[in-house]
Amino acid sequence: MSNTEVYNWSDKVILVVEDEEVNTYFFQAALRKTEAKLLFASSGREAIDLATSDTHIDLILMDIRLPELDGYEATRQIKEKRPEIPIVAQTAYAMANERENILKAGCNDYISKPIRFKVLMDTIAKYLD
Ligand SMILES: [Mg+2]
C-alpha cells in the first residue's frame, strides 16, 4: 500500500477490544477512511459476548492488558467458539515470551503499541483482503 492509497473495508466489521478510551479514538481515526464498521468492547468479557453472538465480525483487534479477564483468556474463549475469526493482538510489551504467549493463546498476529498506522493497516489487510 502506498501512502496515498487507502484500503476499502466498507463491507467489513472490525471488533476493537480496548479498555483505554484514548486508544479507541486512535482506532476510530486510523480506520475512518477504510469505512470499516467498528464495534467496541472495553473488557474481555464484553469481547467474548460480542464475538460469540455477532455473526458478522470479520476481524478482532485484541488488547492484551484488560481488566478482570485479559486478552489471552478472551482470545482462548472466542477461538473455541469462533475459530474462523482472525484475532490480532495489540500490546505494549514486545517481549519475546509475550509474543509466544499471544500466539499460544490463539491470536493470528500481533502489533506493538505505540501502533504505527501503516503496520496496523497492512496487518489487518493480511486477514481482510
Ligand atoms: Mg488495555
Side-chain angles (χ1 to χ4, degrees), residues 8-119:
N8 187 302
W9 296 322
S10 54
D11 60 340
K12 305 293 185 188
V13 179
I14 298 174
L15 170 60
V16 178
V17 186
E18 176 57 67
D19 62 321
E20 285 174 53
E21 209 178 356
V22 64
N23 292 339
T24 65
Y25 298 147
F26 166 79
F27 288 112
Q28 274 177 310
L31 293 163
R32 183 170 297 131
K33 281 186 177 172
T34 70
E35 294 178 39
K37 184 187 174 198
L38 302 185
L39 302 174
F40 292 94
S42 57
S43 73
R45 177 62 55 202
E46 201 185 337
I48 293 164
D49 290 345
L50 266 173
T52 55
S53 62
D54 188 317
T55 54
H56 302 293
I57 293 170
D58 295 291
L59 181 135
I60 299 171
L61 289 170
M62 178 70 76
D63 186 21
I64 291 300
R65 187 182 269 179
L66 293 166
E68 292 169 61
L69 203 147
D70 67 19
Y72 298 123
E73 187 53 31
T75 296
R76 277 185 213 106
Q77 292 195 29
I78 291 168
K79 283 289 188 176
E80 252 174 51
K81 290 182 178 166
R82 302 290 308 276
E84 76 282 9
I85 303 178
I87 300 181
V88 176
Q90 32 132 344
T91 177
Y93 347 88
M95 314 280 285
N97 66 332
E98 227 233 350
R99 286 198 283 269
E100 202 180 302
N101 289 339
I102 284 168
L103 298 176
K104 235 186 256 173
C107 294
N108 300 73
D109 220 320
Y110 55 84
I111 45 180
S112 304
K113 290 178 178 176
I115 293 166
R116 287 162 53 216
F117 178 76
K118 189 170 178 1
V119 172

